Amino acid sequence: MNEKLLDRVSVEKIDALVDALSEVISSMRITAENSYSCYRNEAYWACYSLRNMMFTSLRRREEKSAGE
């Protein structure tokens, strides 16, 4: 995902997306037939990857503001 594109999104919206993705991931883990079936699910990994991208964006912003 383009870093500049994520930099245009407000921190509040990214935070809300992280919360929503975390809930979806948690729900997938709870409702999985067995504890490892969600790890074979492409939707699970898509949500997990998106959440990590959002964390990276927030971390980059924090580092940028700390350096100024």
Side-chain angles (χ1 to χ4, degrees), residues 40-53:
R40 289 181 256 139
N41 186 328
E42 289 180 25
Y44 173 86
W45 287 109
C47 290
Y48 194 84
S49 297
L50 280 171
R51 185 183 67 167
N52 286 342
M53 282 186 230

Side-chain angles (χ1 to χ4, degrees), residues 18-65:
V18 167
D19 289 343
L21 288 168
S22 295
E23 286 183 37
V24 169
I25 290 167
S26 177
S27 175
M28 291 176 90
R29 286 181 184 161
I30 290 170
T31 59
E33 293 173 8
N34 62 46
S35 59
Y36 296 105
S37 67
C38 65
Y39 298 116
R40 289 181 256 139
N41 186 328
E42 289 180 25
Y44 173 86
W45 287 109
C47 290
Y48 194 84
S49 297
L50 280 171
R51 185 183 67 167
N52 286 342
M53 282 186 230
M54 300 303 116
F55 279 136
T56 301
S57 175
L58 291 172
R59 186 180 318 116
R60 186 176 55 249
R61 288 181 190 203
E62 182 64 29
E63 290 171 355
K64 187 177 179 181
S65 67

